[in-house]
Amino acid sequence: MSTPGPLAGVTVLDLSRALSGPYCSALLADLGAQVIKIESAKGGDVTRLWPPFEDEHSLYFESTNRNKSSIALDLYSPDGQAILHRLVEQADVLLENFRPGVLPKLSLDLEQLRRERPELVIASITGFGTTGPLREAAGLDQVAQGMAGLMSVTGPDAEHPYRFGVPIIDMVSGIFTALGIAASLAGCARTGQATAVATSLLESALALSAFHGQGYLSTGKIPTPQGNDHASLTPYGTFRTADIPLIIAVGNERQWVQFCALLGDPELATDSRFVTGRLRTQHRADLKQRLEELLAARPAAAWMETIRAAGIPCGPIYTYEQAFADGQVRALDMVQHLTRTDGSALPLLRGPLSLDGVPTAVHKVPPQLGEDTVDILTGAGLTPEQIDDLIDRGVAHTPRAHASTTGGPR
């Protein structure tokens, strides 16, 4: 970004790992916050060991740790915890996604922190929430998808429930938490009192139920999978053409009449089975059969041009190779080209936001474990001699540990 983001000057102390927390802090870093990723000196974030890999680089880790700094500490040593407390004192936000009971082992008492520093935003992501019989249980993305009902409406039929193709619950939990942190910071700017922010994978998954969940709550009818068809709107889904399938979404009655005309069968719009959206959904199978008969006359690319020209949403089903080659994706400049500290090239997705018309940039490659340990400890007020001592004793780790911070050989 050519100008500082709206969160410039905000320091986020990120104790999270895996995906939900790091996804949250990446969004905050995109918006200008300084994100200090605190990792264990004994291996760091677990996703550093997760595939896919490019040489020794975990692409899983790199996908969500842009624009951050890394400090590696022995968090279970008294000196490591003392440094952690010093960093907390200087932070505006503390983010964590540990299981209940882990933070006290790090000598962090969140209630005490709130009393001592009411302006500190404390944000927590758990598996199942902070109350209830599962409050201390470990939770993962797909477990939340299954428990929240999302898998029951995803897939070809009720006998074959599918998970989302990406860990969507981890990511939306991170998004919800980032929203809560931004709101708490805004409120604190007015009142001087921060609001503690918390969500869980289960709560986030339930929040995604939208009309499916509301439909059940209001009518008692249990939703079922619709495959690639929209549960409420018809025609809305995938349709065969002369060559490859096309996604077509007819959202209102005006578009329905237009769609029938451009397909060459204007009378279809007045067929008694299809004259309203409700009737079209009731007779979905018959309608889809007729539409695919008409769509078989031309290839998908030709239909896409015609349908889009009429203002009706439609699009292809891409592989990732095709997605990144698409002209619209290229125009959005979503892929940033950077160089890792070892000199290797790293094409990396930027965050999805633009500020004043300018896309948020990737200004720092995902860090090596402890890459910024020396700089962060220096900023915290430690002397070079103190830092060298911590590194020598294994309390702090840096990939530059072979070199003395005082300039002499080690």
Side-chain angles (χ1 to χ4, degrees), residues 20 26 98 173 180 246 301 321:
S20 60
F98 290 115
S173 296
L246 192 63
E321 179 182 30

Side-chain angles (χ1 to χ4, degrees), residues 45 141 174 176:
D45 190 322
D141 178 278
F176 293 159

